[in-house]
């Protein structure tokens, strides 16, 4: 936000001539991402209204302000590591995108030259290959998950998860290709289908059927004993998806869990697994036909600020996926 928003917040909460603990939440939240200017403004306004501040509020504000510099340093250190690894990651992807040379994706599929051409042209024209581990330089006061806290937010994804390419998050399992989708839809298989939740644990039903070729939103907070379980009708994936730096498409597994970190609910950021991305958001599929592609809000914000990203529609087309007529990217910001 801005320094003026901070000052306005102090004016609002002091109309009753006191500042309590809840007012501290209002003040900190008003700043949004807390820049150094906003941090200074909060300190200055707190001194100005010190006589109205209750002891508990004063203690809380001092504690939160004390966390900001530490969080800012942690973000800077993290981003130095991200920047240092970028050269190696870019070189790896560049090699896989060599036109005329047989190369395989992170998931083990042959990368068509058509895909390589689209990705190379996008990068040549300024598209960003980004790392979801990159953090914003300033902390934000997050009130969206229970007890409010200061956090360092991801630049390209709010979760900035670092996951392992194992179990249901193995690249070969999350990768989407026309051939893999077709094979799944044409092969009778045995798997568990998620039926619900009991005592915070997912319940399943054994099924013998072909894959549905459908992808829609799937989400739950239950514990999963089968990380390869499928959603309704044999749906293999949730709609969270990403295009990695090698041009390959990946989607979060339907159970949204991996034995590598069973307590973590998988998000789009989980699909990075130490690789750079070209795009992330949501994808829908109906019987193997791509019907929706959405660009995540974070990328929309970066794009509005001038950053360029590869066109996911062109990459999906280059892979040879079946697509709904007139398919365009939906801005999810």
């Amino acid at each position: 936000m801005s320094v003026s928003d901070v000052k306005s917040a102090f004016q609002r909460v002091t109309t009753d001539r006191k500042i309590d603990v809840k007012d501290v939440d209002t003040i900190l939240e008003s700043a949004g991402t807390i820049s150094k200017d906003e941090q200074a403004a909060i300190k200055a306004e707190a001194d100005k209204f010190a006589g109205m501040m209750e002891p508990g509020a004063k203690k809380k504000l001092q504690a939160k302000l004390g966390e900001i510099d530490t969080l800012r340093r942690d973000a800077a250190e993290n981003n130095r590591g991200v920047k240092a690894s970028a050269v190696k990651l870019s070189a790896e992807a560049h090699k896989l995108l060599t036109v005329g040379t047989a190369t395989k994706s992170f998931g083990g599929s042959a990368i068509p030259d058509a895909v390589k051409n689209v990705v190379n042209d996008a990068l040549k024209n300024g598209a960003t290959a980004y790392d979801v581990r990159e953090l914003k330089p300033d902390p934000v006061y997050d009130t969206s998950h229970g007890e409010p806290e200061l956090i360092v937010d991801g630049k390209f994804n709010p979760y900035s998860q670092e996951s392992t390419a194992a179990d249901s998050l193995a690249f070969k399992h999350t990768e989407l290709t026309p051939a893999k989708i077709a094979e799944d839809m044409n092969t009778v298989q045995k798997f568990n289908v998620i039926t619900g939740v009991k005592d915070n644990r997912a319940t399943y039903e054994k099924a013998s059927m072909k894959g549905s070729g459908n992808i829609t939103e799937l989400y739950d907070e239950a514990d999963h004993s089968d990380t390869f379980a499928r959603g309704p009708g044999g749906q293999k994936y949730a709609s969270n998806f990403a295009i990695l730096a090698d041009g390959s498409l990946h989607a979060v597994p339907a159970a949204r869990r991996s034995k590598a970190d069973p307590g973590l609910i998988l998000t789009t950021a989980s699909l990075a697994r130490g690789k750079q991305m070209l795009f992330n958001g949501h994808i829908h599929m109906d019987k193997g036909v791509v019907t929706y592609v959405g660009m995540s809000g974070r990328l929309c914000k970066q794009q509005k600020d001038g950053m360029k990203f590869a066109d996911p529609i062109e990459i999906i087309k280059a892979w040879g996926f079946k697509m709904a007529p007139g398919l365009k990217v939906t801005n999810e910001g």
Side-chain angles (χ1 to χ4, degrees), residues 167 192 201-204 222-229 255 257 259:
D167 189 57
N192 284 326
R201 293 190 66 82
T203 56
Y204 311 110
D223 293 329
H224 279 263
S225 58
D226 183 0
T227 54
F228 291 90
R257 300 295 190 283
K259 288 181 180 178

Side-chain angles (χ1 to χ4, degrees), residues 1-4 6-7 28 31-45 64-65 67-77 80 136-140 150:
M1 300 294 281
S2 66
V3 170
S4 62
V6 171
K7 292 183 177 180
L28 291 172
T33 300
I34 304 175
S35 66
K36 291 184 178 181
D37 287 344
E38 289 163 336
Q39 181 183 358
I42 293 171
K43 290 179 180 178
E45 293 297 298
K64 293 303 178 184
L65 288 175
E67 295 175 21
I68 292 177
D69 289 333
T70 298
L71 288 171
R72 193 174 282 127
R73 285 194 297 270
D74 289 345
E77 182 178 355
R80 282 193 291 272
K136 292 180 179 179
D138 299 315
V140 63
L150 277 165

